[in-house]
């Protein structure tokens, strides 16, 4: 009977399946609604939906519909779609090169023999941007907020060889919804025209993905799915949720990116030893010129010691440091001559990366003809130079006064703060960014003139412009905070080749520096005095050690 039952079961299955499929097909055809019976979808405006239905639809509505200040970027989505196969390969290659050093750290430890990618692809579905919001600021930066959604078919598989066992972890079906704030700053005149890229998240991201371990879907374990998704989203939010920022440097100092001062280098030129005799009938008359690499300011120099091959100066100088990792102190020793060109005794450089902040270090360096290590003349003894160097970085920006303080209490704090910082020296950085609607009576070739404590500095001249852009920065080294002082900035116009009406003022402004000292930095637009509609954009920063 068992054999007969088996035969009958096979025969019944062979006949039952085709008959069932045929019967289901006829039932589908019979009960399928005709074109007349088929109901058209009901389209209703959003304002007619109830609150529950509208709340469920909100995540699906693009940003350009929900926010009037968001713009549609269909062209960008088309660009990303066409470029995605190439972006996928480029991003995956970057991931491989970035993670390889991390994987190599664990090889040989904990019985791990190897870690490598088995599959690495972001899939064929690119992310889409549901709207972009662009912010206008007075800073030299561009701020955008794109709404990014990505429901991709990514497949990332990592194989870990552990005690001759292969352990596979696979990430797939990745979904990410986030709204990042991307800041490009500062804007510089070198491609790609911004020096740094900053990214922060404006709200908690939504992250969803599948995770398989040894071929099994661990997300199917009850309670584990929600725990992993919430943990990953919380960790990403803790790292990059505004005001926390991910900084990505784009340009270095050699690429033309403008760097802000980060500290002051105190240089004490102590003495020189065994200098060469350059005069035929007498000794040398040495002095030392010093400057920092990458600095366009004139070199500083010591006094001249007449007829002395072992002079002592003990003279101190201050130099503004912008990049202590790459800048070097250049020292040049000269023999002063009354008539002819001064003879060069020797030179040497000292990298600032050798210094420890706030610690004085003494250097005794051999003078060379040049920095070419293959030059045989560098083997000749040219004497030594002794200097003491101290690098004092600027203090971090302090917490600023709250606008919610009462008037008397706030005034007392400001007065006390002004008293505390009045004895501290520092660097006053003035950036003349641009001007608008400046108009002269006879010509429009504007440049900006800065007058402060007897020093005069000016920007380049822009020919035939009523809206000039300079973006030039100037520094003033001060022994004490400029409390109670003003800086005078005037827009001038100059005509070349004519005697009459050679120069004329297009307007000026006097800025009180107390706010700069208390706040550390200001960036404001000012109405130019004695100008009909002229405006000027100025950034002033006060940095102390």
């Amino acid at each position: 009977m068992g054999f007969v039952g088996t035969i009958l079961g096979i025969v019944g299955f062979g006949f039952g399946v085709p008959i069932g499929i045929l019967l289901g097909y006829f039932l589908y055809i019979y009960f399928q609604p005709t074109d007349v019976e088929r109901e058209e979808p009901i389209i209703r405006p959003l304002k007619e939906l109830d609150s529950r239905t509208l709340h469920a639809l909100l995540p699906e509505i693009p940003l350009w519909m929900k926010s009037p200040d968001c713009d549609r970027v269909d062209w960008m989505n088309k660009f990303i779609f066409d470029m995605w196969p190439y972006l996928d390969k480029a991003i995956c290659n970057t991931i491989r090169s970035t993670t390889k050093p991390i994987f190599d750290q664990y090889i040989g430890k904990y019985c791990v023999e190897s870690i490598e990618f088995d599959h690495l692809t972001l899939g064929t579905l690119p992310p889409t941007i549901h709207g972009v919001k662009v912010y206008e600021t007075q800073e030299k930066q561009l701020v955008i907020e794109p709404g990014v959604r990505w429901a991709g078919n990514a497949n990332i598989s990592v194989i870990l060889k552990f005690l001759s066992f292969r352990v596979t972890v696979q990430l797939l079906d990745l979904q990410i919804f986030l709204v990042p704030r991307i800041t490009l700053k500062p804007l510089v005149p070198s491609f790609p025209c911004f020096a740094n890229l900053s990214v922060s998240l404006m709200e908690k991201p939504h992250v969803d993905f599948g995770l398989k371990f040894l071929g099994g879907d661990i997300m199917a374990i009850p309670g584990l799915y929600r725990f992993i998704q919430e943990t990953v989203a919380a960790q990403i939010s803790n790292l990059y949720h505004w005001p926390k920022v991910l900084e990505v440097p784009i340009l270095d100092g050699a690429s033309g990116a403008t760097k802000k001062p980060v500290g002051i280098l105190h240089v004490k030129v102590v003495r020189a030893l065994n200098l060469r005799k350059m005069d035929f009938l007498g000794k040398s008359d040495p002095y030392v010129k010093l400057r920092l690499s990458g600095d366009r300011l004139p070199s500083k120099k010591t006094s001249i010691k007449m007829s002395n091959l072992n002079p002592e100066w003990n003279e101190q100088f201050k130099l503004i440091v912008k990049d202590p990792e790459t800048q070097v102190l250049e020292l040049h020793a000269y023999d002063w001559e009354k008539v002819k060109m001064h003879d060069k005794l020797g030179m040497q450089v000292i990298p600032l990366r050798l210094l420890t902040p706030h610690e004085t270090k003494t250097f005794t360096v051999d003078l060379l003809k040049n920095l070419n290590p293959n030059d045989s003349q560098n083997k000749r003894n040219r004497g030594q130079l002794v200097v003491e160097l101290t690098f004092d970085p600027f203090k971090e920006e302090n917490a600023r006064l709250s606008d919610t303080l009462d008037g008397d209490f706030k005034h007392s704090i400001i007065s006390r703060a002004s008293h505390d910082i009045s004895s501290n020296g520092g660097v006053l950085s003035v950036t003349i960014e641009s001007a608008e609607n400046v108009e002269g009576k006879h010509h429009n070739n504007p440049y900006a003139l800065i007058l402060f404590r007897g020093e005069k500095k000016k920007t380049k001249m822009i020919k035939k412009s009523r809206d000039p852009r300079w973006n030039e920065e100037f520094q003033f080294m001060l022994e004490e905070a400029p409390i109670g002082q003003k800086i005078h900035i005037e827009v001038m116009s100059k005509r070349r080749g004519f005697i009459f009406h050679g120069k004329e003022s297009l307007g000026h402004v006097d800025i009180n520096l107390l706010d700069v000292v208390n706040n550390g930095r200001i960036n404001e637009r000012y109405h130019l005095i004695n100008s009909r509609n002229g405006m000027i954009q100025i950034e002033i920063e006060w940095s102390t050690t």
Side-chain angles (χ1 to χ4, degrees):
M1 291 297 293
F3 176 75
V4 175
T6 303
I7 296 297
L8 292 176
I10 295 175
V11 173
F13 179 79
F15 284 98
V17 172
I19 292 173
I21 294 175
L22 184 62
L23 181 62
Y25 175 74
F26 281 108
L27 290 174
Y28 172 76
I29 295 297
Y30 179 77
F31 290 105
Q32 184 181 17
T34 62
D35 293 338
V36 179
E37 296 173 345
R38 184 181 296 116
E39 296 182 359
E40 294 293 334
I42 300 176
I43 300 177
R44 300 167 58 188
L46 292 177
K47 64 181 181 179
E48 295 182 3
L49 299 178
D50 59 88
S51 59
R52 179 178 298 179
T53 306
L54 185 60
H55 184 73
L57 287 177
L58 279 178
E60 306 300 328
I61 298 176
L63 284 178
W64 60 268
M65 291 184 62
K66 293 187 289 186
S67 301
D69 54 349
C70 284
D71 299 323
R72 297 183 64 174
V73 284
D74 294 339
W75 64 271
M76 186 178 294
N77 289 324
K78 181 65 169 61
F79 172 80
I80 296 175
F81 180 82
D82 293 338
M83 290 291 296
W84 184 245
Y86 308 97
L87 291 173
D88 177 28
K89 294 181 180 179
I91 295 173
C92 290
N93 290 335
T94 303
I95 294 175
R96 289 181 185 274
S97 60
T98 304
T99 56
K100 188 178 186 305
I102 301 176
F103 289 167
D104 292 343
Q105 294 178 1
Y106 295 94
I107 296 178
K109 298 180 181 179
Y110 313 109
C111 301
V112 176
E113 298 180 6
S114 65
I115 305 176
E116 58 185 12
F117 286 102
D118 186 25
H119 294 91
L120 179 57
T121 176
L122 301 181
T124 58
L125 302 176
T128 58
I129 300 176
H130 283 235
V132 172
K133 184 185 298 184
V134 181
Y135 291 93
E136 294 184 1
T137 67
Q138 297 180 356
E139 310 292 335
K140 293 185 290 185
Q141 63 183 16
L142 176 63
V143 182
I144 59 176
E145 286 185 9
V148 181
R149 293 187 180 182
W150 183 28
N153 52 349
N155 183 8
I156 303 174
S157 179
V158 178
I159 297 179
L160 186 147
K161 197 171 182 181
F162 177 79
L163 292 175
S164 299
F165 292 98
R166 291 168 59 91
V167 180
T168 304
V169 180
Q170 186 179 15
L171 177 71
L172 65 163
D173 298 332
L174 183 63
Q175 296 184 20
I176 299 176
F177 303 156
L178 50 86
V179 181
R181 173 174 290 179
I182 302 174
T183 305
L184 311 178
K185 67 174 183 179
L187 301 179
V188 296
S190 298
F191 190 80
C193 299
F194 59 92
N196 295 284
L197 184 147
S198 304
V199 181
S200 58
L201 300 178
M202 302 312 297
E203 58 186 42
K204 186 176 180 180
H206 170 76
V207 182
D208 192 2
F209 55 88
L211 190 63
K212 290 186 177 182
F213 183 74
L214 295 176
D217 188 3
I218 64 175
M219 290 300 190
I221 301 176
L224 186 61
Y225 170 79
R226 181 177 295 274
F227 172 76
I228 292 180
Q229 306 297 337
E230 292 181 353
T231 301
V232 171
Q235 290 298 323
I236 296 176
S237 181
N238 290 337
L239 289 174
Y240 305 119
H241 201 174
W242 189 86
K244 296 182 180 178
V245 176
L246 171 64
E247 295 280 355
V248 181
I250 303 298
L251 295 177
D252 55 12
S255 302
T258 304
K259 292 193 174 183
K260 295 289 185 180
V262 297
I264 295 177
L265 178 67
H266 299 266
V267 182
K268 182 179 181 180
V269 182
V270 182
R271 65 177 65 90
L273 304 172
N274 302 320
L275 295 177
R276 290 184 58 191
K277 179 181 177 181
M278 303 298 293
D279 296 335
F280 180 73
L281 298 177
K283 299 180 180 180
S284 297
D285 306 320
Y287 70 93
V288 178
K289 297 177 67 174
L290 55 151
R291 65 185 297 271
L292 285 175
S293 60
D295 197 347
R296 293 178 295 179
L297 297 176
S299 300
K300 299 180 181 294
K301 62 181 181 180
T302 66
S303 58
I304 302 171
K305 300 297 182 180
M306 306 300 292
S307 301
N308 197 334
L309 299 181
N310 295 280
E312 289 195 12
W313 288 283
N314 291 313
E315 298 179 12
Q316 298 187 2
F317 305 89
K318 294 182 181 180
L319 303 175
I320 299 174
V321 179
K322 293 186 177 181
D323 190 351
E325 293 297 323
T326 60
Q327 283 186 295
V328 299
L329 174 65
E330 300 177 2
L331 300 166
H332 298 264
Y334 291 91
D335 175 32
W336 180 82
E337 296 291 343
K338 187 175 183 180
V339 179
K340 63 178 183 177
M341 183 179 297
H342 301 180
D343 296 325
K344 187 175 182 179
L345 296 174
M347 60 90 62
Q348 189 55 272
V349 298
I350 302 176
L352 300 191
R353 63 175 179 270
L354 301 178
L355 302 177
T356 302
H358 306 297
E359 292 186 9
T360 301
K361 191 171 183 179
T362 303
F363 292 87
T364 302
V365 295
D366 295 325
L367 293 174
L368 305 174
K369 180 182 179 181
N370 53 53
L371 296 180
N372 184 4
N374 298 323
D375 194 338
S376 58
Q377 296 191 33
N378 283 330
K379 298 179 181 180
R380 187 175 182 179
N381 183 21
R382 297 175 179 272
Q384 294 178 317
L385 196 61
V386 181
V387 295
E388 294 180 359
L389 306 182
T390 307
F391 172 56
D392 290 335
F394 293 139
K395 298 176 182 177
E396 295 293 331
E397 185 175 2
N398 297 324
R400 303 305 174 191
L401 297 173
S402 173
D403 293 335
T404 59
L405 295 176
D406 294 336
D408 295 339
F409 183 57
K410 182 176 180 180
H411 182 268
S412 64
I413 291 181
I414 293 177
S415 300
R416 188 162 59 250
S418 301
H419 177 74
D420 293 338
I421 62 180
S422 60
S423 59
N424 295 334
V427 174
L428 185 71
S429 301
V430 182
T431 302
I432 309 297
E433 297 185 1
S434 61
E436 300 176 7
N437 299 320
V438 291
E439 184 177 1
K441 295 180 179 179
H442 304 94
H443 42 78
N444 281 309
N445 303 315
Y447 66 94
L449 180 66
I450 307 173
L451 298 176
F452 181 65
R453 286 190 174 181
E455 291 189 62
K456 180 187 297 186
K457 300 183 179 182
K458 62 181 180 179
T459 66
K460 61 180 179 292
M461 184 179 66
I462 308 295
K463 293 183 178 180
K464 298 180 180 180
S465 175
R466 295 184 178 181
D467 302 302
R469 284 187 166 271
W470 296 288
N471 288 320
E472 295 189 37
E473 182 179 355
F474 306 90
Q475 281 91 29
F476 298 88
M477 187 85 68
L478 306 179
E479 297 295 333
E480 59 181 12
I483 297 176
Q485 299 186 36
K486 294 183 178 181
I487 186 169
H488 179 84
I489 299 174
E490 188 168 5
V491 179
M492 303 288 294
S493 178
K494 183 178 180 180
R495 172 181 289 175
R496 293 183 176 180
F498 290 88
I499 300 176
F500 299 104
H501 309 297
K503 292 182 181 180
E504 63 175 297
S505 175
L506 307 184
H508 71 275
V509 62
D510 293 312
I511 303 174
N512 194 328
L513 297 179
L514 178 60
D515 289 340
V516 181
V517 175
N518 289 328
N519 297 321
R521 174 179 173 273
I522 62 172
N523 192 317
E524 300 287 346
R525 296 175 75 240
Y526 297 92
H527 289 276
L528 290 171
I529 302 174
N530 295 334
S531 175
R532 180 181 301 176
N533 299 311
M535 304 283 294
I536 188 169
Q537 183 81 37
I538 302 171
E539 178 184 354
I540 306 178
E541 186 171 357
W542 170 245
S543 305
T544 60
T545 57

